[in-house]
Amino acid sequence: SAVPCSHSSLLVADGHTAPRPPQEGNRACILVDSREITSGLEVISSLRTVHGLQVEVCPLNGCDYIVSNRMVVERKSLSEMLNNGSKNKFIEQIQRLQSMFQRICVIVEKDREKAGDTSRMFRRTKCYDSLLTALVGAGIRILFSSGQEETADLLKELSLVEQRKNVGIHVPAVLNPSKCEALQFYLSIPSISYITALNMCHRFSSVKKMANSSPEEISACAQVTRQKAEEIYRYIHYTFDMQMLPSDLNQDRLKSDACSAL
Amino acid sequence: MDRNNPGGTGPVHVPLGHIVANEKWRGSQLAQGMQGKVKLIFEEDLASADFYLSSRSCILYITEADLVVGHGYRKRLVRVRNSGHLQGIIIVEKTQTSEQYFPAVQKFTVLDLGMVMFPVANQLEASCLIIQLVQEQTREPSRNPFLRKKRCVLSELSLVQTVQQIPGVGKVKAPLLLQKFPTIQQLSNASVQELEEVVGHSVAQQIHTFFTQSR
């Protein structure tokens, strides 16, 4: 009969050791910075094996995790957040992310405890509290994690929430050589994120097409806000003025002019 | 009707730099920690919130016991979230006993409800954090490093760098191309013949292919 049959097929699906990817396209994708391989290996492997997500390791240039077309996640150890010395570096990093992403989430992760190490007692500092409140004041989300495994779980939840809001990542991260050239070109546009450049690669039929697009078209293809699309549009239409170029580059050019004249 | 309606989510007047606290916190370690640093006004009938930082933002304090007992605290959070005009900040006592319940609370408050949440170890830590929150709310937004205006980037230099990404174009040819075709758009529309006036035939071909090739 039909009923036991469908039961058994369910059991088979559940019995798989590796989680089966849901239908292609619906599967959540997360981009991971290649630097996380050294510092967050367990996060990456948890994402892959426990949660069965599609994880693509890319050179994200300091953006730890990209979970949607608009959201970046910065993974930060608790000890670094407590320490006043690394405060400015952290602020600069967040400001850089703000120029590229609409939404930012910081995951504060507890440091791994070494056996017998009691010196690393958690002592809450004023610096820590002021960082937290400043982040909240700027609308940046904060999540707290007890370790790399929990961080992976939080990343999965974030990507699912974003997917429900229709901003999930739906383009392949693997590119053929000609697309790679275009990717590098798009990435050199100021304040553009890796996922935006990737979307542009896949959704514009050619670079020429992109350069002749209206802000509305850029917004739709690159999956960015109207404001960001206008910023990109202005860059494409910005008139170059040699006088404004920093002098060292200008001298290079003069030298080369002299060479070609000779 | 009373100024503070039974739901406790009606508008509450909070003078600048003050905190309106629920009467139940009178004499607590938390209140003592704040006294002397901010002025506390105790009020009764604040059914939902524990503290008001302003008329639009309030703090809900979840104790260790609340977490261990069950999901009762959730109703309070949902009520504040649904009030529409109130931003709720949740402070949770995360201790050795309540730690195991923390991930579920965090998922519910931050990911499901979209509210802000901070863990603290005890009431003393909470008092320091609340003082910091008051200071953050009363200071100029421009003092927040994450709200500062972005500085302008030098577009000429980035334009040169963008053009250098085209195959066959290095740091010598990039400024030359931009002098003849001063925007990326104009460069993308240049014909091979026009490009040949600046660079050699093969590079002109390469540039044209880069822009027009469908991918």
Side-chain angles (χ1 to χ4, degrees), chain B residues 151-189:
Chain B
R151 63 206 141 75
C152 206
V153 286
L154 197 58
S155 287
E156 264 72 16
L157 190 55
S158 30
L159 273 181
V160 171
Q161 279 159 356
T162 297
V163 172
Q164 279 184 40
Q165 301 305 318
I166 302 169
V169 181
K171 66 176 178 186
V172 175
K173 291 197 184 90
L176 294 177
L177 283 164
L178 280 166
Q179 268 188 316
K180 177 99 199 288
F181 312 99
T183 70
I184 300 283
Q185 193 211 15
Q186 287 172 37
L187 181 60
S188 77
N189 293 328

Coordinates of all heavy atoms in Angstrom, one line a residue, chain B residues 151-189:
Chain B
R151 N 33.9 59.4 5.1 CA 34.7 60.4 4.4 C 34.8 60.1 2.9 O 34.5 59.0 2.4 CB 36.2 60.4 5.0 CG 36.9 59.1 4.8 CD 37.9 58.9 5.8 NE 38.0 57.6 6.3 CZ 38.5 56.6 5.6 NH1 39.1 56.8 4.4 NH2 38.5 55.4 6.0
C152 N 35.0 61.2 2.1 CA 35.0 61.1 0.7 C 36.2 60.3 0.2 O 37.3 60.6 0.6 CB 34.9 62.5 0.1 SG 34.2 62.5 -1.5
V153 N 36.0 59.4 -0.7 CA 37.2 58.7 -1.3 C 37.6 59.4 -2.6 O 36.8 60.0 -3.3 CB 36.9 57.2 -1.6 CG1 36.8 56.4 -0.3 CG2 35.6 57.1 -2.4
L154 N 38.9 59.3 -2.9 CA 39.4 60.0 -4.1 C 39.0 59.1 -5.3 O 39.6 58.1 -5.5 CB 40.9 60.1 -3.9 CG 41.6 61.1 -4.8 CD1 41.0 62.5 -4.7 CD2 43.1 61.1 -4.5
S155 N 38.1 59.6 -6.1 CA 37.6 58.8 -7.1 C 38.6 58.6 -8.3 O 38.6 57.6 -8.9 CB 36.3 59.4 -7.7 OG 35.3 59.1 -6.8
E156 N 39.4 59.6 -8.5 CA 40.4 59.5 -9.6 C 41.3 58.2 -9.4 O 41.5 57.4 -10.4 CB 41.3 60.7 -9.7 CG 40.8 61.7 -10.7 CD 39.6 62.5 -10.2 OE1 39.3 62.4 -9.0 OE2 38.9 63.1 -11.1
L157 N 41.8 58.1 -8.2 CA 42.7 56.9 -7.9 C 41.9 55.6 -8.1 O 42.4 54.7 -8.7 CB 43.3 57.1 -6.5 CG 44.4 56.1 -6.2 CD1 45.5 56.2 -7.2 CD2 44.9 56.4 -4.8
S158 N 40.7 55.6 -7.6 CA 39.9 54.3 -7.7 C 39.5 54.0 -9.1 O 39.5 52.9 -9.5 CB 38.7 54.3 -6.8 OG 38.2 55.5 -6.5
L159 N 39.3 55.1 -9.9 CA 39.0 54.9 -11.3 C 40.2 54.2 -12.0 O 40.0 53.3 -12.8 CB 38.6 56.2 -12.0 CG 37.2 56.7 -12.0 CD1 37.1 58.0 -12.7 CD2 36.3 55.7 -12.6
V160 N 41.4 54.7 -11.7 CA 42.6 54.1 -12.4 C 42.7 52.7 -12.0 O 42.9 51.8 -12.8 CB 43.8 54.9 -11.9 CG1 45.1 54.2 -12.4 CG2 43.8 56.3 -12.5
Q161 N 42.4 52.4 -10.7 CA 42.5 51.0 -10.2 C 41.4 50.1 -10.9 O 41.7 49.0 -11.2 CB 42.3 51.0 -8.7 CG 43.7 51.3 -8.0 CD 43.5 51.8 -6.6 OE1 42.4 51.9 -6.1 NE2 44.6 52.0 -5.9
T162 N 40.2 50.7 -11.1 CA 39.2 49.9 -11.8 C 39.6 49.6 -13.2 O 39.5 48.4 -13.6 CB 37.9 50.7 -11.8 OG1 37.5 50.9 -10.4 CG2 36.8 50.0 -12.5
V163 N 40.1 50.6 -13.9 CA 40.5 50.4 -15.3 C 41.6 49.4 -15.4 O 41.7 48.6 -16.3 CB 40.8 51.7 -16.0 CG1 41.4 51.5 -17.4 CG2 39.6 52.6 -16.0
Q164 N 42.5 49.4 -14.4 CA 43.6 48.4 -14.4 C 43.2 47.0 -14.3 O 43.9 46.1 -14.5 CB 44.5 48.7 -13.2 CG 45.5 49.8 -13.5 CD 46.5 50.0 -12.3 OE1 47.0 49.0 -11.7 NE2 46.7 51.2 -12.0
Q165 N 41.9 46.8 -13.9 CA 41.4 45.4 -13.8 C 41.0 44.8 -15.2 O 40.8 43.6 -15.3 CB 40.1 45.3 -12.9 CG 40.4 45.8 -11.5 CD 41.5 45.1 -10.8 OE1 41.6 43.8 -10.9 NE2 42.3 45.8 -10.1
I166 N 41.0 45.7 -16.2 CA 40.7 45.2 -17.5 C 41.9 44.4 -18.0 O 43.1 44.9 -17.9 CB 40.4 46.4 -18.5 CG1 39.2 47.2 -17.9 CG2 40.1 45.9 -19.9 CD1 39.0 48.5 -18.6
P167 N 41.8 43.2 -18.6 CA 42.9 42.5 -19.0 C 43.8 43.2 -20.1 O 43.2 43.9 -21.0 CB 42.3 41.2 -19.7 CG 40.9 41.1 -19.1 CD 40.5 42.5 -18.7
G168 N 45.1 43.3 -19.9 CA 45.9 44.0 -20.8 C 46.2 45.4 -20.4 O 47.1 46.0 -21.0
V169 N 45.5 45.9 -19.4 CA 45.7 47.3 -19.0 C 46.5 47.3 -17.6 O 46.0 46.7 -16.7 CB 44.4 48.0 -18.9 CG1 44.6 49.5 -18.5 CG2 43.6 48.0 -20.2
G170 N 47.6 48.0 -17.6 CA 48.4 48.2 -16.4 C 48.3 49.6 -15.9 O 47.5 50.4 -16.4
K171 N 49.3 50.0 -15.1 CA 49.2 51.3 -14.5 C 49.6 52.4 -15.5 O 49.4 53.6 -15.2 CB 50.0 51.4 -13.2 CG 51.5 51.2 -13.3 CD 52.1 51.4 -12.0 CE 53.6 51.3 -12.0 NZ 54.3 51.3 -10.7
V172 N 50.2 52.0 -16.6 CA 50.6 53.0 -17.6 C 49.4 53.3 -18.5 O 49.1 54.5 -18.7 CB 51.8 52.6 -18.4 CG1 52.1 53.6 -19.5 CG2 53.0 52.4 -17.5
K173 N 48.8 52.3 -19.0 CA 47.7 52.5 -20.0 C 46.4 53.0 -19.3 O 45.7 53.7 -20.0 CB 47.4 51.1 -20.7 CG 48.5 50.7 -21.6 CD 48.1 49.7 -22.6 CE 49.2 49.1 -23.5 NZ 49.9 48.0 -22.8
A174 N 46.2 52.6 -18.0 CA 45.0 53.1 -17.4 C 44.7 54.6 -17.4 O 43.7 55.0 -17.9 CB 44.9 52.5 -16.0
P175 N 45.7 55.4 -17.0 CA 45.4 56.8 -17.0 C 45.3 57.4 -18.5 O 44.5 58.3 -18.7 CB 46.6 57.5 -16.3 CG 47.4 56.4 -15.7 CD 47.0 55.1 -16.3
L176 N 46.1 56.8 -19.4 CA 46.0 57.2 -20.8 C 44.6 57.0 -21.3 O 44.0 57.8 -22.0 CB 47.0 56.4 -21.7 CG 48.5 56.7 -21.3 CD1 49.4 55.8 -22.2 CD2 48.8 58.2 -21.5
L177 N 44.0 55.8 -21.0 CA 42.7 55.5 -21.5 C 41.6 56.4 -20.9 O 40.7 56.9 -21.6 CB 42.3 54.0 -21.1 CG 42.9 52.9 -22.0 CD1 42.8 51.6 -21.3 CD2 42.3 52.9 -23.4
L178 N 41.8 56.7 -19.6 CA 40.9 57.6 -18.9 C 40.9 59.0 -19.4 O 40.0 59.8 -19.4 CB 41.1 57.5 -17.4 CG 40.4 56.3 -16.7 CD1 40.9 56.2 -15.3 CD2 38.9 56.4 -16.7
Q179 N 42.1 59.4 -19.9 CA 42.2 60.8 -20.5 C 41.4 60.9 -21.8 O 40.7 61.9 -22.0 CB 43.7 61.1 -20.8 CG 44.4 61.8 -19.6 CD 45.7 62.3 -20.0 OE1 46.5 61.5 -20.6 NE2 46.1 63.5 -19.6
K180 N 41.4 59.9 -22.6 CA 40.6 59.9 -23.8 C 39.1 59.6 -23.6 O 38.2 60.2 -24.1 CB 41.2 58.9 -24.8 CG 40.5 58.7 -26.1 CD 41.2 59.5 -27.2 CE 40.4 59.8 -28.4 NZ 39.9 59.0 -29.3
F181 N 38.9 58.6 -22.7 CA 37.5 58.2 -22.3 C 37.3 58.5 -20.9 O 37.5 57.6 -20.1 CB 37.2 56.8 -22.7 CG 37.7 56.4 -24.1 CD1 38.9 55.7 -24.2 CD2 36.9 56.6 -25.2 CE1 39.4 55.4 -25.5 CE2 37.4 56.3 -26.4 CZ 38.6 55.6 -26.6
P182 N 36.8 59.7 -20.5 CA 36.9 60.1 -19.0 C 35.9 59.4 -18.1 O 36.1 59.6 -16.9 CB 36.7 61.6 -19.1 CG 36.0 61.9 -20.3 CD 36.4 60.8 -21.3
T183 N 35.0 58.6 -18.6 CA 34.1 57.9 -17.6 C 34.2 56.4 -18.0 O 34.5 56.0 -19.1 CB 32.7 58.3 -17.6 OG1 32.1 57.9 -18.8 CG2 32.5 59.8 -17.5
I184 N 33.9 55.6 -17.0 CA 33.8 54.1 -17.2 C 32.8 53.8 -18.3 O 33.0 53.0 -19.2 CB 33.4 53.4 -15.9 CG1 34.4 53.6 -14.8 CG2 33.3 51.9 -16.2 CD1 35.7 52.9 -14.9
Q185 N 31.7 54.6 -18.3 CA 30.6 54.3 -19.3 C 31.2 54.6 -20.7 O 31.0 53.8 -21.6 CB 29.4 55.2 -19.0 CG 28.2 54.8 -19.8 CD 27.3 55.9 -20.2 OE1 27.7 57.1 -20.1 NE2 26.1 55.6 -20.6
Q186 N 31.9 55.7 -20.9 CA 32.4 56.0 -22.2 C 33.4 55.0 -22.7 O 33.5 54.6 -23.8 CB 33.0 57.5 -22.2 CG 31.9 58.5 -22.2 CD 32.5 59.9 -22.0 OE1 33.6 60.2 -22.5 NE2 31.9 60.7 -21.2
L187 N 34.2 54.6 -21.7 CA 35.3 53.6 -22.1 C 34.6 52.3 -22.5 O 35.0 51.6 -23.4 CB 36.2 53.3 -20.8 CG 37.3 52.4 -21.0 CD1 38.3 52.8 -22.1 CD2 38.1 52.2 -19.7
S188 N 33.5 51.9 -21.8 CA 32.8 50.7 -22.1 C 32.2 50.7 -23.5 O 32.0 49.7 -24.1 CB 31.7 50.4 -21.1 OG 30.6 51.1 -21.3
N189 N 31.9 51.9 -24.0 CA 31.2 52.0 -25.3 C 32.2 52.3 -26.4 O 31.8 52.5 -27.6 CB 30.2 53.2 -25.3 CG 29.0 52.8 -24.3 OD1 28.7 51.6 -24.2 ND2 28.4 53.7 -23.7

